[in-house]
């Protein structure tokens, strides 16, 4: 947790950005760090990935052993998943969600989930992370969770900036170990807690 937030998290070389295009039911990526299978994108290496387009029923999964940061630049994405978390950070040291300037991003789940880890009932949020997660940028993020929580981490969650709106069937925004909000414009409409941290 000590290195959760570093200045370097929020800067990167434009030339290093890996574009990923979501095409409703399929996706294209030209990088060895990520694989596309049908409408599921699995990121297996650290790096800066720029996502654009829409998935009508798909998933973005981060599952890497790398200790370096994974950046997900959300650049006008609309990701929907009917039976699990549209964004599922299964394993990573640290993930930074970047809301691209002037972008509007939508993450929407369904009313029932097929759990990846049944014993832990995980994932259980529209944006679900088992590692520390940060959000940053001047864009907009709208999370609509019809199943349970909106944004939830099993570690810490930092919101540095951004316009984030969450509608959730249960809790809106959860950071298990801690929840830090530095700045931004945050709206939560939830049936459970708006903002919560349980450790």
């Amino acid at each position: 947790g000590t290195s959760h937030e570093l200045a370097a998290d929020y800067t990167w070389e434009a030339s290093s950005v890996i574009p990923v295009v979501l095409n409703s039911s399929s996706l294209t990526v030209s990088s060895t760090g990520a694989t596309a299978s049908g409408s599921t994108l699995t990121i297996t290496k650290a790096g800066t990935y720029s996502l654009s387009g829409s998935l009508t029923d798909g998933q973005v999964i981060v599952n890497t052993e790398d200790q370096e940061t994974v950046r997900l630049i959300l650049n006008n994405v609309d990701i929907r998943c009917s039976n699990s978390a549209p964004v599922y950070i299964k394993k990573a040291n640290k993930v930074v969600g970047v809301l691209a300037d002037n972008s509007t991003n939508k993450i929407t789940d369904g009313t029932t989930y097929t759990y990846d880890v049944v014993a832990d009932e995980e994932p259980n949020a529209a944006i679900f992370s088992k590692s520390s997660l940060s959000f940053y940028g001047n864009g907009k993020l709208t999370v609509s969770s019809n199943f349970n929580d909106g944004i939830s981490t099993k570690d810490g969650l930092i919101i540095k900036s951004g316009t984030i709106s969450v509608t959730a069937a249960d809790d809106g925004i959860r950071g298990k170990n801690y929840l830090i909000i530095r700045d931004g414009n945050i709206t939560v409409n939830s049936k459970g807690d708006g903002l919560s941290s349980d450790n």
Side-chain angles (χ1 to χ4, degrees):
T2 50
S3 62
H4 182 160
E5 191 173 38
L6 301 172
D9 295 345
Y10 305 121
T11 58
W12 58 90
E13 291 287 328
S15 60
S16 70
V17 174
I18 300 158
V20 180
V21 180
L22 313 177
N23 311 304
S24 72
S25 60
S26 66
L27 36 93
T28 50
V29 59
S30 53
S31 164
T32 55
T35 54
S37 172
S39 57
T40 298
L41 173 76
T42 304
I43 293 171
T44 55
K45 290 186 180 166
T48 302
Y49 299 83
S50 178
L51 280 56
S52 61
S54 65
L55 285 179
T56 47
D57 190 4
Q59 205 172 20
V60 174
I61 298 171
V62 175
N63 191 4
T64 178
E65 301 286 342
D66 291 351
Q67 290 304 298
E68 297 82 18
T69 301
V70 175
R71 287 186 203 85
L72 299 178
I73 301 176
L74 303 182
N75 193 358
N76 292 308
V77 295
D78 186 344
I79 304 172
R80 296 166 184 270
C81 186
S82 63
N83 64 349
S84 187
V87 178
Y88 177 23
I89 299 159
K90 187 171 181 174
K91 185 165 182 139
N93 184 41
K94 177 164 56 178
V95 175
V96 177
V98 180
L99 307 178
D101 287 357
N102 303 314
S103 68
T104 299
N105 304 286
K106 295 179 180 176
I107 307 291
T108 309
D109 66 11
T111 53
T112 57
Y113 274 32
T114 301
Y115 293 125
D116 178 42
V117 184
V118 177
D120 296 332
E121 298 189 355
E122 290 174 359
N124 64 357
I127 297 178
F128 182 84
S129 177
K130 295 186 92 147
S131 62
S132 57
L133 176 65
S134 306
F135 285 98
Y136 158 78
N138 297 316
K140 291 182 181 172
L141 173 62
T142 300
V143 178
S144 303
S145 170
N146 298 293
F147 174 66
N148 190 42
D149 298 339
I151 300 171
S152 181
T153 72
K154 297 290 293 266
D155 200 323
L157 176 62
I158 296 174
I159 296 174
K160 182 174 168 66
S161 55
T163 299
I164 298 175
S165 174
V166 177
T167 304
D170 191 20
D171 299 341
I173 300 175
R174 298 188 63 215
K176 186 171 178 68
N177 293 347
Y178 49 84
L179 171 61
I180 299 170
I181 298 174
R182 304 238 183 261
D183 203 347
N185 183 339
I186 298 168
T187 308
V188 176
N189 181 344
S190 63
K191 293 194 170 69
D193 296 332
L195 307 173
S196 75
S197 174
D198 19 54
N199 266 6

